[in-house]
Amino acid sequence: MGLEKYWASDPMDVLRVRQDFLLADLDPRSKPGFEGGKKEGKTSLEIGAEILADLQEQLFAGNQMGDDPRRVLLVLQAMDTAGKGGIVKHVMSAVDPQGVQLATFKKPTEEELEHDFLWRIRKEVPEAGMIGVFDRSHYEDVLIARVRELAPPEEIERRYDAINEFEAELAASGTTIVKVMLHISMDEQRERLLKRLDRRDKHWKFNPGDIDERMLAPKYRESYQLVFERTTTPHAPWYVIPADRKWYARLAVQHLLIDALEGMKLDWPLADYDIEEQKGRLATG
Amino acid sequence: MGLEKYWASDPMDVLRVRQDFLLADLDPRSKPGFEGGKKEGKTSLEIGAEILADLQEQLFAGNQMGDDPRRVLLVLQAMDTAGKGGIVKHVMSAVDPQGVQLATFKKPTEEELEHDFLWRIRKEVPEAGMIGVFDRSHYEDVLIARVRELAPPEEIERRYDAINEFEAELAASGTTIVKVMLHISMDEQRERLLKRLDRRDKHWKFNPGDIDERMLAPKYRESYQLVFERTTTPHAPWYVIPADRKWYARLAVQHLLIDALEGMKLDWPLADYDIEEQKGRLATG
């Protein structure tokens, strides 16, 4: 599909978390499967943008006219500065905003805390025909919750199971789930945080709490490793993407979305009206 | 700002509905204020995309860090095929999806009909820092409702006032409101509907009901004229955009948004932390 030109292996294979995956072994500066550099990456992203836009339109169209119940959910998880926002901006902007449901999960509100952790998540599940994007997600409830001991260990244990059940439910109702963790190095994170401190137009993106979180990075990595072990399922796989090179991370996420949509064997829906009859009506009115 | 190169007059002035405005007098193929053709229009749209993206980021940033309560609401109204969707796709896609709240209003559900007509609208009002886009809006309740007599005349009368009050409320809470009606000719609409019937990838965009609506076009125009007369206010002006040339309509809406944002005198918010202190923390961690 043109897009494959620089890919030696399909990112869906090469980035997928398998049984023996160890986060500690993954080099955040690597670019698994991609043979080109930044320039080729940019070209590939442009080609991919059009392919993604077409596939998304078919997904949307199939629901609008054919009541196709299917949908896609992209879950984005990462440490601060790893590039979640950039992916939303540079990958998803290729797609008709009408067909995208973006949900950003921040610190839960008091009302949200009064409910089960999945309560606020369920409200944001993408509707049929849509691509949903979760910028952070229910995984925060087994990540920051574990690292900062916001819930007792047995509750964290319960949550892994609840998550698997929830995602199985989503899959059964026609949701293709793509879970992505963006992996950056400590050095790259320092550079990016410093840049936010150095540039007046980036100050708003910085929060002193980001450094507090950074100091807990080892514990976060350990928690991510557990997440991969407990919540990698056939219907809701994890992909870990080295993210020190922003262009690679964007390209990889775009490609995972394209693969997911291609796997759905979409097509334009058939007209549910008589085309010639309607042409006749138009000719006279 | 570069963008002005081909504009002989500011679209905010030239497209604005004033006291003596008559929809019947506006040529849907005209391009008020713009001196170039399609090619220059495309160039202007690209330049404008970057300007719009920067302004939107300042709006968003000001809320994220400075708690700036301001927001923008773009209301899009038009007959079928006039290009609302294209505007969402080609104008709004320039902007970070995180900062856009898009609401599409279709035929009200039974639950929505049990409430006042503004009930479902209020739920979609953009949050602080956001650009909200209404694809159709509360104006349907005085347009299709009047044309198809879904409500008695005295209720329609009441609604104009309710709308003005609602919009005054929004403006008072920091919302810059831009109301746009896209105006296409009957001939251009026929062409666009035929294209939807001719192309397999466009069939899903066609609905036989579109032709029923088309036959009521004179009554819709009369209803739009009334809308302009009753709901054009200093804090929520209407702009009518000739839309037979898609490129012009997109460019004009983009420019209106840019004008609205520039009028807000945005800037990057000041850091609410000590920059040097944070740099020190990063150097050691």
Side-chain angles (χ1 to χ4, degrees):
Chain A
M1 57 182 192
L3 197 60
E4 306 301 357
K5 201 166 154 196
Y6 305 106
W7 288 97
S9 5
D10 191 330
M12 206 154 212
D13 289 328
V14 77
L15 298 170
R16 189 166 180 147
V17 169
R18 298 180 199 281
Q19 200 132 32
D20 52 355
F21 174 83
L22 281 178
L23 183 58
D25 290 347
L26 186 71
D27 176 2
R29 263 198 87 72
S30 62
K31 43 184 182 68
F34 195 75
E35 304 218 301
K38 189 170 179 173
K39 194 173 149 235
E40 291 76 21
K42 216 188 140 189
T43 308
S44 295
L45 195 73
E46 278 169 24
I47 299 170
E50 293 191 25
I51 297 171
L52 182 61
D54 279 352
L55 288 164
Q56 176 275 326
E57 195 172 338
Q58 287 189 335
L59 176 69
F60 190 77
N63 175 259
Q64 293 282 305
M65 197 152 66
D67 279 326
D68 190 330
R70 291 180 297 170
R71 63 206 79 183
V72 172
L73 173 61
L74 172 68
V75 173
L76 294 175
Q77 282 291 152
M79 298 285 290
D80 294 312
T81 76
K84 289 191 283 51
I87 279 169
V88 170
K89 194 164 166 176
H90 296 279
V91 177
M92 299 315 297
S93 65
V95 159
D96 190 346
Q98 276 187 83
V100 177
Q101 255 176 281
L102 171 66
T104 305
F105 295 99
K106 305 211 164 146
K107 200 180 157 190
T109 62
E110 283 194 25
E111 192 195 10
E112 286 167 351
L113 286 173
E114 279 168 20
H115 294 82
D116 181 65
F117 76 104
L118 289 174
W119 180 73
R120 65 171 185 160
I121 308 291
R122 287 184 190 277
K123 291 198 287 187
E124 302 286 353
V125 160
E127 287 163 48
M130 304 289 282
I131 299 180
V133 180
F134 282 2
D135 178 348
R136 304 191 188 272
S137 68
H138 40 300
Y139 285 100
E140 291 297 320
D141 298 286
V142 288
L143 288 163
I144 191 170
R146 181 175 180 275
V147 171
R148 294 200 170 266
E149 298 176 8
L150 306 176
E154 58 277 16
E155 167 65 8
I156 304 284
E157 279 305 313
R158 185 193 72 81
R159 288 181 185 176
Y160 295 128
D161 295 333
I163 286 173
N164 288 336
E165 241 173 81
F166 167 62
E167 291 178 354
E169 224 178 83
L170 286 185
S173 67
T175 312
T176 299
I177 304 172
V178 179
K179 300 187 296 197
V180 165
M181 188 252 184
L182 303 174
H183 182 47
I184 55 164
S185 65
M186 293 301 279
D187 284 349
E188 179 67 22
Q189 193 192 43
R190 179 189 286 113
E191 289 310 305
R192 293 186 189 177
L193 287 171
L194 277 175
K195 201 175 190 183
R196 291 182 179 182
L197 287 168
D198 272 334
R199 283 177 50 175
R200 209 177 137 248
D201 61 339
K202 301 273 185 201
H203 287 168
W204 69 277
K205 292 192 176 184
F206 180 90
N207 186 312
D210 298 345
I211 301 183
D212 304 332
E213 289 294 285
R214 172 178 167 80
M215 290 173 179
L216 296 168
K219 202 149 181 217
Y220 270 104
R221 291 189 181 179
E222 185 189 290
S223 301
Y224 269 110
Q225 181 67 39
L226 279 172
V227 159
F228 301 144
E229 286 165 18
R230 298 296 305 270
T231 65
T232 295
T233 57
H235 53 263
W238 272 105
Y239 301 91
V240 180
I241 300 182
D244 272 14
R245 303 176 201 247
K246 287 183 186 175
W247 65 264
Y248 174 79
R250 290 170 191 171
L251 190 62
V253 173
Q254 184 195 64
H255 206 304
L256 289 175
L257 275 177
I258 289 173
D259 275 352
L261 287 158
E262 286 186 338
M264 295 167 79
K265 308 284 172 217
L266 300 161
D267 198 356
W268 298 111
L270 292 175
D272 57 5
Y273 46 80
D274 184 320
I275 295 170
E276 292 311 316
E277 182 192 333
Q278 298 301 326
K279 283 190 185 172
R281 289 180 73 203
L282 261 179
T284 57
Chain B
M1 56 179 192
L3 196 61
E4 305 303 357
K5 201 167 154 195
Y6 304 105
W7 288 97
S9 4
D10 191 330
M12 205 153 212
D13 289 328
V14 77
L15 299 170
R16 189 167 181 146
V17 169
R18 296 179 198 282
Q19 199 131 33
D20 52 355
F21 174 82
L22 281 178
L23 182 58
D25 290 347
L26 185 69
D27 177 1
R29 263 199 84 73
S30 61
K31 43 183 181 69
F34 195 75
E35 305 219 302
K38 190 171 179 173
K39 194 173 147 236
E40 291 76 21
K42 215 187 141 192
T43 308
S44 294
L45 195 74
E46 278 169 24
I47 299 171
E50 294 192 25
I51 297 171
L52 182 61
D54 279 351
L55 287 165
Q56 177 274 328
E57 196 174 337
Q58 287 189 334
L59 176 69
F60 190 76
N63 175 260
Q64 292 284 303
M65 197 152 68
D67 279 326
D68 190 330
R70 290 179 297 168
R71 64 206 77 184
V72 171
L73 174 61
L74 172 67
V75 173
L76 294 175
Q77 283 290 153
M79 298 286 289
D80 292 313
T81 76
K84 287 190 284 56
I87 279 168
V88 170
K89 196 165 165 177
H90 296 279
V91 177
M92 298 316 296
S93 66
V95 159
D96 190 346
Q98 277 188 82
V100 178
Q101 253 177 282
L102 171 66
T104 305
F105 294 99
K106 305 210 165 148
K107 199 178 155 187
T109 62
E110 282 194 25
E111 192 196 8
E112 287 168 351
L113 285 173
E114 279 168 19
H115 294 81
D116 181 66
F117 75 105
L118 289 174
W119 181 73
R120 65 172 185 159
I121 307 292
R122 287 183 189 277
K123 291 199 285 187
E124 302 286 352
V125 160
E127 288 163 48
M130 304 291 280
I131 299 181
V133 180
F134 283 1
D135 178 347
R136 303 193 189 271
S137 66
H138 41 298
Y139 286 99
E140 290 298 318
D141 298 285
V142 288
L143 287 164
I144 191 169
R146 181 175 180 276
V147 170
R148 293 202 170 263
E149 299 176 7
L150 306 177
E154 58 276 17
E155 168 63 8
I156 304 283
E157 278 303 314
R158 185 193 72 82
R159 287 180 185 176
Y160 295 128
D161 295 334
I163 287 173
N164 288 335
E165 239 173 81
F166 168 63
E167 292 178 352
E169 226 178 80
L170 287 185
S173 67
T175 312
T176 299
I177 305 171
V178 179
K179 299 188 296 196
V180 165
M181 187 252 183
L182 301 174
H183 182 45
I184 57 164
S185 65
M186 293 302 280
D187 285 349
E188 179 68 19
Q189 192 193 44
R190 179 188 287 111
E191 288 311 307
R192 293 187 189 177
L193 287 170
L194 277 175
K195 200 174 188 184
R196 291 183 180 183
L197 287 168
D198 273 333
R199 284 177 50 174
R200 206 175 140 251
D201 61 338
K202 301 271 185 202
H203 287 167
W204 69 277
K205 291 191 177 185
F206 180 89
N207 186 312
D210 298 347
I211 302 183
D212 304 332
E213 289 293 285
R214 172 177 167 81
M215 290 171 178
L216 296 168
K219 201 147 181 221
Y220 269 104
R221 291 191 180 179
E222 186 188 292
S223 300
Y224 270 110
Q225 181 68 39
L226 278 173
V227 159
F228 301 144
E229 285 166 18
R230 298 295 305 269
T231 65
T232 295
T233 56
H235 53 266
W238 273 105
Y239 301 90
V240 179
I241 300 181
D244 272 12
R245 303 176 202 247
K246 287 182 186 174
W247 65 264
Y248 175 79
R250 290 169 190 171
L251 190 63
V253 173
Q254 184 195 63
H255 207 305
L256 289 174
L257 274 178
I258 290 174
D259 275 352
L261 287 158
E262 286 186 336
M264 294 167 80
K265 309 284 171 217
L266 299 161
D267 198 356
W268 298 110
L270 291 176
D272 56 6
Y273 46 81
D274 184 321
I275 295 170
E276 292 311 316
E277 182 192 333
Q278 299 300 326
K279 283 191 187 172
R281 289 180 72 202
L282 261 178
T284 59

